Amino acid sequence: MGCAKNEVDSAKMSERLLAAGVKIVDDPASADAIIVNTCSFIQAATEESLEMIFDMLDMPNVAGGDSRVIVAGCMPARYGEDLSESLQEVKTFVPCSKEDDIVEIVFSLFPEKARSCMPIPDVSKLVAADSPSAYVKISDGCDRFCSFCAIPYIRGPYGSFTYESICSEVALQVSRGVKEIVLIAQDTGRWGEEFSQEQTLAWLLGKLADEFTGTWFRVMYLEPEGVTDELIECIRTHENVCSYLDIPFQHVDPQILRSMNRRGSYEEFVQLIDKLRSQIPDIVLRTTLIAGFPGETQEQFELLCDFLEEVQLDYVGVFPYSQEEGTRAATLPGQIDEQEKVDRAQMIRDLCDRISESLVRQRVGEDLDVLVLGTEEDGQIYGRAMCQAPEVDGVVYLSQGEPGDVVRVRIHDSLMYEMEGW
């Protein structure tokens, strides 16, 4: 459940279990154990995870005692013992910090079956890539403590993974046929800052791009202060680094940003966007915003809308503020009515849909390289260009190509976020 970072964690747990000789089955009805890797970033995500847990607990093989449900990830990390008291039918809980121990945890539930498992020395050769695009985590945790966010309490403090471990993971994915690597973290821009010999995201990105010249690299979840001159130069000078940045502004009013325990302003963000566009003319920009944060006045909301009209960002994700238990913002005065938050978020969506649709339509007539991803149920081939991030920015429909191919096409038509090329 949840974000791309959870997808990576789920894949790692699966690989550890496979290496230990455990068989991964497609149908939970035939499983001895069902692991639900949960998200708990906001209340809606928690509710979705709970719904999945209850669905699994209601399965006949679980209700009959033949299968056991294991709940992993963010929910156990966030709610701890409270969760085990309210979900007593769940056999065990595995917080994020214990996911590396998943083999021992599963084997402890099935000691007899565990003895019959035959470890596989090199499971990497047996695991095929699900897609020509793959996420690679470069760090975990966060200690920014934005007032609306529970991630630091769930994931713990920020910690960069070593270059060697990241490079090894990239090499593994490339050996499986992956053609695009998406670097992710809670805050990618801080990578390497705590090393004794300080390294930077730009250094990492450049090093990987030089090592794997036939692979696209994309960076997601980059805070505004992480956009350095060094990073801009790296993107500008490497053809296989996507001219694409996902920069979560969250808001543009200085007072609201201070309440969020964040920095920046309307003017600073405009200057940053202008700088990026002047130095990387084909840059594509995505951001994330929160509507209806405590104390947000009508004037502050309109300022946010004015900003979006002025800067014309390619893609925008917006969420109504979620009052999360345990966060500082949950106790701030000026909590806004739920319907008003939803209405404000929808107004921003409508505004940004109009802007994005226009920007996508302007690509008609352009020649783009497209990474072929697969086919839909009706046989329609689709892929993504460098200007489109996985899962959030739409796709390009194609007339030819096999998964993993990079084909050069001319864009002939668009519909909202989707494009057609041949």
Side-chain angles (χ1 to χ4, degrees), residues 38-305:
T38 59
C39 177
S40 191
F41 175 53
I42 57 176
Q43 186 60 34
T46 301
E47 292 170 358
E48 188 176 2
S49 292
L50 283 169
E51 184 178 346
M52 177 61 72
I53 293 167
F54 290 132
D55 285 347
M56 295 300 100
L57 290 172
D58 286 342
M59 294 191 66
N61 54 318
V62 177
D66 296 324
S67 301
R68 295 163 189 180
V69 173
I70 300 168
V71 172
C74 295
M75 280 183 63
R78 183 172 183 181
Y79 296 110
E81 293 182 1
D82 291 341
L83 198 63
S84 59
E85 291 174 5
S86 59
L87 290 172
Q88 295 183 14
E89 304 92 335
V90 172
K91 192 61 180 179
T92 192
F93 296 87
V94 185
C96 305
S97 61
K98 297 295 184 181
E99 287 178 349
D100 287 354
D101 302 326
I102 192 64
V103 171
E104 291 78 9
I105 291 167
V106 170
F107 279 6
S108 72
L109 302 180
F110 303 93
E112 294 299 321
K113 294 189 177 189
R115 282 195 283 271
S116 66
C117 288
M118 299 295 291
I120 301 172
D122 189 3
V123 72
S124 64
K125 295 179 180 178
L126 302 180
V127 180
D130 293 331
S131 166
S133 176
Y135 296 105
V136 171
K137 278 173 59 171
I138 63 173
S139 69
D140 206 354
C142 182
D143 42 27
R144 283 185 176 274
F145 290 98
C146 296
S147 65
F148 55 83
C149 183
I151 291 296
Y153 310 105
I154 296 171
R155 291 278 178 175
Y158 191 90
S160 302
F161 300 160
T162 66
Y163 169 74
E164 289 75 18
S165 67
I166 296 168
C167 186
S168 176
E169 179 64 20
V170 171
L172 175 61
Q173 296 296 343
V174 171
S175 74
R176 293 173 175 170
V178 167
K179 298 295 180 65
E180 177 192 44
I181 297 293
V182 185
L183 302 180
I184 58 172
Q186 305 299 334
D187 184 355
T188 50
R190 293 183 60 191
W191 182 84
E193 69 175 20
E194 75 274 37
F195 294 159
S196 56
Q197 182 177 355
E198 185 174 329
Q199 295 170 323
T200 65
L201 174 64
W203 179 88
L204 171 67
L205 187 58
K207 189 93 169 168
L208 293 172
D210 290 338
E211 176 75 16
F212 303 94
T213 54
T215 305
W216 291 3
F217 287 91
R218 186 186 305 275
V219 176
M220 302 290 285
Y221 315 128
L222 180 73
E223 293 292 339
E225 52 266 41
V227 185
T228 62
D229 291 341
E230 182 188 13
L231 181 64
I232 292 172
E233 181 66 10
C234 176
I235 297 172
R236 193 181 65 80
T237 56
H238 288 82
E239 290 186 358
N240 60 327
V241 174
C242 298
S243 297
Y244 183 110
L245 286 176
D246 170 38
I247 310 171
F249 293 130
Q250 306 299 3
H251 212 283
V252 298
D253 180 83
Q255 183 178 345
I256 294 292
L257 287 167
R258 282 194 296 272
S259 293
M260 291 179 170
N261 196 33
R262 295 174 64 85
R263 291 176 286 178
S265 67
Y266 186 122
E267 293 76 16
E268 290 177 47
F269 294 156
V270 168
Q271 290 172 9
L272 175 60
I273 292 167
D274 288 345
K275 180 178 182 178
L276 283 165
R277 286 174 170 165
S278 66
Q279 298 193 33
I280 312 173
D282 62 342
I283 190 77
V284 173
L285 298 174
R286 162 175 276 277
T287 196
T288 306
L289 303 170
I290 295 175
F293 189 79
E296 183 188 59
T297 65
Q298 184 63 32
E299 291 75 16
Q300 289 167 326
F301 173 70
E302 290 174 1
L303 183 70
L304 181 56
C305 294

